[in-house]
Amino acid sequence: MKLVAANRLIDGVAVWLGPDGGWVEDISEAEIARDKETQERLERTGREAFVRNEVLDVELIDVEIVDGTVRPLRLRERIRAAGPSIHPELGKQAKKPAVSLV
């Protein structure tokens, strides 16, 4: 399973491509590709957003579902989804319960 990750150009926030073609700040709201056709469609939509200067660092990333939660396979992407790892009262992790990075 894969989804498209990027950074919003206007503020640098990590975002993921949602099912309506818009960008969402919560990875659990992202559209997950479970087949090659959907991966290609999501990649194409991400590239188009890059060309329109909406996002940068567009990347198709691997994810898995663990206990009903979307979990990126790479640690870098887990940190991006959870927020800065330096302080629990800053960033995305301040808005929701702590997320395990392992």
Side-chain angles (χ1 to χ4, degrees):
M1 294 182 285
K2 296 180 182 280
L3 52 78
V4 173
N7 287 85
R8 195 167 42 216
L9 193 57
I10 196 166
D11 58 10
V13 169
V15 289
W16 297 270
L17 189 58
D20 65 352
W23 297 94
V24 297
E25 293 185 16
D26 189 329
I27 196 170
S28 67
E29 298 173 5
E31 180 175 0
I32 297 173
R34 298 172 193 273
D35 57 59
K36 190 68 176 170
E37 291 176 4
T38 305
Q39 288 177 23
E40 291 171 356
R41 178 177 52 79
L42 293 179
E43 278 188 300
R44 187 173 47 252
T45 302
R47 282 194 307 269
E48 291 169 357
F50 173 77
V51 170
R52 290 190 305 269
N53 289 326
E54 295 175 3
V55 292
L56 53 88
D57 197 21
V58 178
E59 182 180 9
L60 198 61
I61 65 168
D62 294 309
V63 297
E64 63 184 351
I65 304 295
V66 177
D67 297 329
T69 301
V70 178
R71 180 176 177 220
L73 296 186
R74 290 187 348 215
L75 179 60
R76 174 185 183 262
E77 298 302 329
R78 288 186 214 156
I79 292 171
R80 291 181 66 200
S85 58
I86 57 172
H87 200 286
E89 295 176 2
L90 300 174
K92 294 178 181 179
Q93 71 266 28
K95 298 177 183 174
K96 45 186 180 178
V99 175
S100 172
L101 297 178
V102 288

